[in-house]
Every structure is written in structure tokens, then in C-alpha cells.
Amino acid sequence: YLMTGDRRSLEKTVGYLKAFLAQDDWQTGQERNSGMGAANILAGAALGFDMVYSDLDPQFRDEFRKKLFQMAREMYYRGHLQKNPGSVGYWQADPQNNHRWHRDAGLTLAVLASYSGAPEEDWLLTKTLEELQFVAKWLPEEGSSHESGSYLIFGIGHLILAMTAADNCLGTQFLKQPFFQNVGEFR
């Protein structure tokens, strides 16, 4: 829609946002609203919402913004803080895990797209930034990945999305780290 002006694309995007708004959960099961599925829905929903923000009905825009922020909170509480019953901790203990990078992309994009500046939202924005700083601290300068060059592809795009969004919206400089300069050579 943004590239072509095709109103059908806008209608489809709004249709997806309405479908997501109507769902209580964006992922069920053991990793309720905090698994890979929820992470990727968060990322896509945040990007779609941000892209068509100006074209949304103001009432729907506010409803969806609140839903998006709530789902980001669920990602953080249930996933990052391991509040889901039976959380395994397989990705929470590893800052270089692709599964974490997917979740961080969803969390970051959703928080940034839905943040209204209300004081009660500051805590999650701060925690999201702290999460990205933690992951960035552990990125090897030589651009390597303990999960191999081929598996790195599975999550690097999501990590770049999260860190680009933070650089653009929060003034961080994550993408200037040596890791991003050298990851291509490692790959």
C-alpha cells in the first residue's frame, strides 16, 4: 500500500489487524503469548500497524495500540521473565540464541509502535532497551555465532530489525558494533 497506493493492500492490512485484535491470545500452549509464533505475530503486527497508522480509524487505532502493547507485555512477562507455568528457559539463558532474537524483535517493534508516552508504559520501554543492551553486550566482535553460520540466518534478520528500530527511535547505536561489521565475513 505504501509503495503503490493500492487500497486493497490497505484493506488487507487492516483486516489482519482486526483479526489479531479479536484474538485473546496470539499463541497458545506452554509458551502462551511468548513463543516463536507470538514473537513473529508481534513483529508483523507492529510493522503493519506502524505502516498504516495514519490511515486507521482513530478509535480502532487506539484499540489496536493498546492490544499491541498488552501483547508486548505478555511477551516480556511470560517469556523473558519466565512467568508461563512450566517455562523451560532454553532461550532466556542465552543472549546469542536465535529464538531470543525473534522474541526481542517482536517485543521491540511492538513496544515502539504502541508506545504512547504514558508514564505507565515507560517501564516496559526501559526493560526492552535493557534487553537489547544485554544482547548487544554478548555479540562477538568477530561476527561469529555459536549456532553456526547457517543457523545464524534464522535469527540475524530479527536481531537487525530490533536493533535498527532502537537506533532509529531511541538514538542507540547498536548497528555500529563490530559484530554487525564482521558478521558477513563469518557467514
Side-chain angles (χ1 to χ4, degrees):
Y1 166 69
L2 293 178
M3 292 186 293
T4 66
D6 182 357
R7 300 290 298 176
R8 290 175 298 176
S9 292
L10 173 62
E11 291 166 12
K12 285 182 181 180
T13 302
V14 172
Y16 280 116
L17 297 179
K18 287 181 178 179
F20 290 140
L21 180 63
Q23 303 301 312
D24 291 332
D25 294 305
W26 288 1
Q27 181 174 344
T28 58
Q30 187 176 2
E31 292 186 296
R32 182 174 167 219
N33 295 329
S34 66
M36 295 291 285
N40 291 320
I41 290 172
L42 265 175
L47 290 169
F49 177 69
D50 190 59
M51 286 181 206
V52 301
Y53 181 90
S54 298
D55 293 297
L56 295 174
D57 170 74
Q59 182 178 345
F60 173 74
R61 181 173 51 217
D62 189 54
E63 288 175 27
F64 192 82
R65 184 197 68 74
K66 290 175 183 174
K67 175 72 170 192
L68 190 60
F69 195 84
Q70 175 60 35
M71 298 313 281
R73 285 185 62 204
E74 293 211 23
M75 175 61 68
Y76 186 75
Y77 281 103
R78 293 176 179 278
H80 290 78
L81 297 181
Q82 300 182 32
K83 300 295 183 184
N84 268 328
S87 287
V88 203
Y90 70 95
W91 60 269
Q92 293 94 334
D94 182 0
Q96 296 180 33
N97 188 296
N98 286 307
H99 293 250
R100 184 183 203 126
W101 295 351
H102 277 252
R103 288 164 172 91
D104 285 350
L107 174 67
T108 302
L109 295 172
V111 167
L112 292 175
S114 63
Y115 181 75
S116 71
E120 63 270 17
E121 296 172 352
D122 289 345
W123 186 83
L124 187 57
L125 178 64
T126 299
K127 290 299 180 185
T128 301
L129 180 57
E130 288 173 3
E131 167 65 13
L132 294 178
Q133 289 167 333
F134 174 72
V135 168
K137 175 184 170 183
W138 289 98
L139 294 173
E141 287 192 13
E142 75 280 358
S144 67
S145 170
H146 67 287
E147 296 193 282
S148 82
S150 60
Y151 197 63
L152 175 72
I153 291 175
F154 180 65
I156 190 75
H158 286 75
L159 179 64
I160 290 171
L161 274 173
M163 298 212 165
T164 299
D167 284 0
N168 288 337
C169 297
L170 303 175
T172 57
Q173 296 186 358
F174 291 125
L175 294 181
K176 290 189 176 184
Q177 289 190 222
F179 172 82
F180 294 103
Q181 309 307 312
N182 298 318
V183 71
E185 188 173 330
F186 169 74
R187 173 72 178 110

